[in-house]
Amino acid sequence: MQTHFLDLNQLNDDEIMELIRSSIEYRDGKLIQLKRPVYFANMFYENSTRTHTSFEMAERKLGITPINIDPKNSSVQKGETLSDTVKTLQAIGTDGVVIRHKTTGWYEPLIDDERIQTSLVNAGDGSGQHPSQSLLDLLTIYDEFKKFKGLKIAIVGDLLHSRVARSNAEILKRLGAKIYFAGPDEWYPSDFDNFGEFTNIDSIVGKVDVMMMLRVQLERLNEDARESFTAVEYANIFGLTEERGKKMKKKAIIMHPAPVNRNIEIANSLVEAPQSRIFRQMQNGVFARMAILTSILKSKDLIAEDEYEDIN
Ligand code: CP
């Protein structure tokens, strides 16, 4: 059983399906009782709306007390290291710390430090992994198709800077989906060849089951790249325009981790179109994060198993 939750790819297929099942149980109204008061700190070194809020919502629904720490107003500003901040939060009494950080693999030096016993939850590391997003994406796809094997999934856009693309490509391939990538050549990481086929949006839009669009991450581009970026040109060549949306298969769905750059990677009208699952993904994010936190609570024997209650 996992004490930390860092990378979905570290779990086996059964453990992933168990997390999906657990998410669905919470969505269906399951509640739990904790054995004692439990505290989790949420610390987001990079901006977030969805992940931060839905981790806090998940914590509150499970009876965990959230402690929100804004790194901008913390002793991080005085030069405190991430390791010392985590040890401080542990000393103060948190059972877990949810962290988003710009450093890819921020958790690696911490998990080898046996003095750190508080659970670490990865809410996104640089261009590495975004495992809670990946779980909510799996849940959303499973809701729709009840399987992963044999599905055709396109991941399109700013692949280089996207931890969502990396997390999802790896896990979806392992679960038996056929992955296609599309986007600018200069934003294609060559190691993605291990997970799928790099092609162009027009050759795949009519044949895939899922169009997973990615945000153009302008904040991660250098000044030259930012200045030469043109929204209209990007939309025409790489975006899911209305015209391309019409070519999608009847039962195909649109996904996007959000926040969305409307009319850049996806047409404004498609964000809330019938085939879009973008807001459904956000809704599923709360239940997926409840399942993740539950796996940690179980590993620490903090759940009073006999007091499960079904509100339906
Ligand atoms: N999808 C996602 O991670 O959104 P936030 O950056 O708002 O958390």
Side-chain angles (χ1 to χ4, degrees), residues 148 150-154 172-173 176-180 195-197 208:
F148 300 103
L151 290 180
K152 292 185 174 137
I153 299 181
L172 283 164
K173 177 177 188 260
K178 165 93 179 143
I179 310 295
Y180 299 92
F195 313 125
E197 180 187 328
V208 296

Side-chain angles (χ1 to χ4, degrees), residues 28-44:
D28 288 346
K30 190 172 88 173
L31 297 173
I32 58 162
Q33 294 289 328
L34 300 175
K35 283 185 174 172
R36 62 157 174 82
V38 174
Y39 301 90
F40 267 62
N42 301 315
M43 197 161 51
F44 282 69

Side-chain angles (χ1 to χ4, degrees), residues 147-170:
K147 62 173 188 177
F148 300 103
K149 201 171 171 55
L151 290 180
K152 292 185 174 137
I153 299 181
I155 307 180
V156 181
D158 183 354
L159 298 156
L160 183 64
H161 304 105
S162 175
R163 49 196 170 215
V164 177
R166 185 167 291 280
S167 311
N168 279 341
E170 218 170 327

Side-chain angles (χ1 to χ4, degrees), residues 1 10 24 33 53 79 81 102 120 144 149 162 166 169 183-185 195 208 213 228 235 259 267 278 282 294 298 301:
M1 206 162 285
Q10 289 167 344
I24 293 169
Q33 294 289 328
T53 314
T81 64
K102 67 171 194 256
L120 302 173
E144 205 68 36
K149 201 171 171 55
S162 175
R166 185 167 291 280
D185 289 347
F195 313 125
V208 296
M213 306 307 295
S228 62
I278 296 173
M282 296 175 205
T294 296
K298 276 187 185 165
D301 193 23

Side-chain angles (χ1 to χ4, degrees), residues 164-220:
V164 177
R166 185 167 291 280
S167 311
N168 279 341
E170 218 170 327
I171 197 69
L172 283 164
K173 177 177 188 260
R174 173 145 71 81
L175 293 172
K178 165 93 179 143
I179 310 295
Y180 299 92
F181 301 108
D185 289 347
E186 63 276 22
W187 292 347
Y188 180 68
S190 55
D191 70 310
F192 274 28
D193 284 351
N194 294 319
F195 313 125
E197 180 187 328
F198 186 48
T199 177
N200 64 74
I201 188 167
D202 290 308
S203 69
I204 48 172
V205 71
K207 69 177 184 187
V208 296
D209 302 293
V210 178
M211 284 296 287
M212 187 181 289
M213 306 307 295
L214 302 171
R215 180 173 72 88
V216 175
Q217 302 194 24
L218 290 169
E219 75 278 15
R220 296 193 201 272

Side-chain angles (χ1 to χ4, degrees), residues 66-207:
I67 298 171
N68 291 312
I69 294 158
D70 180 356
K72 289 191 206 78
N73 295 320
S74 75
S75 287
V76 168
Q77 299 302 327
K78 300 180 204 164
E80 187 168 69
T81 64
L82 183 59
S83 166
D84 278 342
T85 303
V86 168
K87 285 178 192 163
T88 301
L89 295 170
Q90 174 175 296
I92 288 168
T94 61
D95 298 285
V97 187
V98 178
I99 297 177
R100 170 173 288 186
H101 200 283
K102 67 171 194 256
T103 305
T104 300
W106 59 259
Y107 47 81
E108 272 157 16
L110 307 186
I111 51 176
D112 292 332
D113 185 339
E114 61 193 25
R115 290 162 297 190
I116 296 179
Q117 296 295 316
T118 195
S119 293
L120 302 173
V121 181
N122 183 10
D125 62 294
S127 52
Q129 296 286 322
H130 194 346
S132 62
Q133 176 73 43
S134 205
L135 182 63
L136 75 88
D137 288 342
L138 292 184
L139 172 60
T140 307
I141 294 168
Y142 189 78
D143 279 343
E144 205 68 36
F145 302 103
K146 302 288 176 274
K147 62 173 188 177
F148 300 103
K149 201 171 171 55
L151 290 180
K152 292 185 174 137
I153 299 181
I155 307 180
V156 181
D158 183 354
L159 298 156
L160 183 64
H161 304 105
S162 175
R163 49 196 170 215
V164 177
R166 185 167 291 280
S167 311
N168 279 341
E170 218 170 327
I171 197 69
L172 283 164
K173 177 177 188 260
R174 173 145 71 81
L175 293 172
K178 165 93 179 143
I179 310 295
Y180 299 92
F181 301 108
D185 289 347
E186 63 276 22
W187 292 347
Y188 180 68
S190 55
D191 70 310
F192 274 28
D193 284 351
N194 294 319
F195 313 125
E197 180 187 328
F198 186 48
T199 177
N200 64 74
I201 188 167
D202 290 308
S203 69
I204 48 172
V205 71
K207 69 177 184 187

Side-chain angles (χ1 to χ4, degrees), residues 44 47-52 100 123 130 133 163-164 257-259 289:
F44 282 69
N47 294 341
S48 168
T49 300
R50 276 144 290 272
T51 313
H52 191 166
R100 170 173 288 186
H130 194 346
Q133 176 73 43
R163 49 196 170 215
V164 177
R289 289 172 178 120

